[in-house]
Amino acid sequence: NICKSSHRGILLSQKVIQKGSAHLKSDAKAAGFFFFASFHAASLLCEANLRWLKDEAVSKRVEKILFSLEKATGKVVKEVRRKR
């Protein structure tokens, strides 16, 4: 849930950067990077806990979700960095 919430926060930050007030852009960029850090911290904890999970199907499903979120998150952060 933390990974999904962080991903949503990154997307929201991106929208504010694109469509929001010029005065909010730097704040939205900072928030986006904090969400990015939160996403990766939670992702590391999930990956560590998956090693102990005995249900292989659930483990694979969670890994797939994390991978897709990480890929999407990375794309958004690269886009935000370009808009400096």
Side-chain angles (χ1 to χ4, degrees), residues 20-76:
S21 162
H23 301 290
L24 291 176
K25 286 186 179 186
S26 61
D27 294 334
K29 286 181 182 183
F33 285 112
F34 283 123
F35 282 123
F36 183 72
S38 172
F39 173 85
H40 281 284
S43 178
L44 288 172
L45 293 173
C46 284
E47 289 172 6
N49 288 326
L50 286 176
R51 293 185 192 122
W52 299 99
L53 195 62
K54 293 182 190 219
D55 188 339
E56 190 70 27
V58 171
S59 179
K60 292 287 183 193
R61 191 172 74 231
V62 172
E63 283 177 353
K64 186 177 177 180
I65 291 168
L66 284 174
F67 178 76
S68 67
L69 286 174
E70 186 171 352
K71 189 174 177 182
T73 299
K75 286 180 183 177
V76 172

